[in-house]
Amino acid sequence: EAEQIMRQYGLNDHFQVLAGMYPEYAVGRITSQEKGFYQLVTSQGEKRAEVSGKFRYHAVTVSDYPAVGDFVMVNWNDHGGNAVIHHVLHRKSCVIRKAAGNAHQEQVVAANIDTIFLCMSLNNDFNLRRLERYLSIAWDSGAVPVIVLTKADLCSNLEKKQMEVASVAIGVDVLVSTALEKDGYRQILPYITDGKTVAFIGSSGVGKSTLINCLLGEQRLDTNGLRNDDKGRHTTTHRELILLPNGGLVIDTPGMRELGMWDSGSGIDQAFGEIEELASCCRFKDCTHHNEPGCAVQRALQDGSLSEERWLSYLKLKAENDYAADSQSYLAGKEKKFKEIAKINKSNRKR
């Protein structure tokens, strides 16, 4: 029965093999995180946890620390104190964004997800450029993206918007839901099975919490109506992994209007696959797609088969991603330097 609990929380054979490398610890999964402390579940139950001093010392970047959805190896601590996290098992998928307001920090939104539901409402929140950004980050995470267009009852030109979404979401399932349809969430159910983890990501107020409440069969998460400007109010304030009554797990995330790029190059290539294909057809391998002869990208822009807006969006995300990659090497170098200084200072104090 104890093993079955962790199976319900997504502990499959793959993670059990990884956990077997640390026989002195118990395996747990992070269900929530707040101010340096974590809530986790193991076969022994739920408990508050913190990382060990050694873990903190060896962590190089913020993404090394546990995040919601991570499987971790812990000392349960039978004496009643917090459990102590010693290792984070290698993630099979991970959604990372640039931390808001900080060019040199990344933030793990959620880990070990099978499917990411990218939620966008069909009212004033509708934004194809933001959807391209979401898709780039989702593809890069290792999870499978599914687009959920919410609040269809507030949209007067549904077919047109569905066609617009299809033009930028090649190879991605697109679902349409409305809060007014009692069973509108049911088309999401086939993606959620025993032991599988899904996450809902999108701007504040697009209806993520409403959909999750439907899956839970109860009003567990707060929801709010629309503001006067036809946009939703922010309700979720932290990430949480929730076990669903019919099997499967869901991660609710705070609304993120801005989802900054952080080393998501392969995801951009996949989200803009048709541009990558065009670029491979250019006469010159090092084509900059500006004014070289035989440029397939410029030809597509001129004949209208590639829209100017999509091309500019691709360039913008590429530039932002390149900057984030530079930031990442800057951050690693800076933190390594500070740790070396701290080690020297510690050595000096012992003398």
Side-chain angles (χ1 to χ4, degrees), residues 215-230:
L215 294 172
L216 285 166
E218 60 175 324
Q219 201 72 14
R220 175 166 166 178
L221 303 180
D222 289 337
T223 60
N224 277 323
L226 295 169
R227 303 189 317 223
N228 293 332
D229 61 359
D230 195 29

Side-chain angles (χ1 to χ4, degrees), residues 115-119 135 138 144-148 172-175 191:
T115 302
I116 303 177
F117 292 112
L118 305 175
C119 300
L135 281 168
V144 177
V146 173
I147 295 168
V148 181
V172 178
D173 290 350
V174 180
L175 312 178
Y191 299 89

Side-chain angles (χ1 to χ4, degrees), residues 86-318:
H86 293 272
H87 301 281
V88 174
L89 296 184
H90 185 73
R91 296 158 176 154
K92 72 172 184 180
S93 65
C94 181
V95 180
I96 297 181
R97 70 163 179 169
K98 181 175 76 68
N102 192 326
H104 302 301
Q105 287 282 20
E106 82 276 44
Q107 179 188 35
V108 178
V109 177
N112 299 316
I113 305 158
D114 295 286
T115 302
I116 303 177
F117 292 112
L118 305 175
C119 300
M120 186 171 72
S121 67
L122 287 157
N123 57 345
N124 280 353
D125 178 72
F126 188 81
N127 185 318
L128 287 180
R129 306 288 79 87
R130 189 188 308 126
L131 183 59
E132 287 169 337
R133 176 182 295 269
Y134 278 21
L135 281 168
S136 298
I137 291 173
W139 278 126
D140 196 72
S141 73
V144 177
V146 173
I147 295 168
V148 181
L149 301 175
T150 65
K151 305 187 179 180
D153 49 297
L154 301 175
C155 178
S156 57
N157 53 351
L158 178 59
E159 249 181 73
K160 178 175 178 290
K161 287 190 173 178
Q162 281 181 293
M163 287 176 64
E164 289 175 359
V165 168
S167 72
V168 303
I170 300 150
V172 178
D173 290 350
V174 180
L175 312 178
V176 179
S177 77
T178 167
L180 299 181
E181 292 179 12
K182 188 177 179 184
D183 295 330
Y185 73 97
R186 289 193 179 277
Q187 57 193 312
I188 292 172
L189 294 178
Y191 299 89
I192 307 173
T193 55
D194 282 341
K196 298 295 183 182
T197 303
V198 303
F200 285 79
I201 290 176
S203 303
S204 301
V206 297
K208 302 188 300 295
S209 296
T210 299
L211 286 169
I212 292 172
N213 282 335
C214 289
L215 294 172
L216 285 166
E218 60 175 324
Q219 201 72 14
R220 175 166 166 178
L221 303 180
D222 289 337
T223 60
N224 277 323
L226 295 169
R227 303 189 317 223
N228 293 332
D229 61 359
D230 195 29
K231 292 182 180 177
R233 296 184 178 91
H234 179 83
T235 48
T236 302
T237 56
H238 68 286
R239 286 171 289 283
E240 183 182 5
L241 177 73
I242 305 166
L243 184 63
L244 295 171
N246 294 326
L249 302 117
V250 62
I251 297 177
D252 189 20
T253 66
M256 293 176 289
R257 189 163 297 280
E258 292 303 322
L259 196 60
M261 309 301 292
W262 188 270
D263 195 18
S264 304
S266 63
I268 296 172
D269 293 347
Q270 191 154 356
F272 293 85
E274 84 281 20
I275 294 179
E276 291 294 313
E277 194 173 328
L278 282 170
S280 69
C281 297
C282 292
R283 183 184 300 174
F284 303 110
K285 284 187 177 179
D286 59 349
C287 185
T288 63
H289 317 303
H290 290 306
N291 50 17
E292 293 93 337
C295 176
V297 172
Q298 285 299 321
R299 189 165 59 245
L301 286 167
Q302 287 163 15
D303 67 22
S305 57
L306 173 63
S307 74
E308 184 79 18
E309 293 83 6
R310 184 152 169 84
W311 171 240
L312 291 175
S313 176
Y314 171 80
L315 292 178
K316 179 184 177 184
L317 294 181
K318 277 284 192 184

Side-chain angles (χ1 to χ4, degrees), residues 13-33:
D13 293 343
H14 168 76
F15 284 111
Q16 280 191 319
V17 169
L18 294 179
M21 297 166 62
Y22 308 98
E24 68 272 33
Y25 301 121
V27 62
R29 193 169 193 191
I30 305 292
T31 56
S32 66
Q33 169 190 358

Side-chain angles (χ1 to χ4, degrees), residues 52-65:
S52 69
K54 185 178 180 181
F55 185 107
R56 190 175 285 108
Y57 179 78
H58 285 289
V60 175
T61 65
V62 177
S63 62
D64 290 336
Y65 281 84

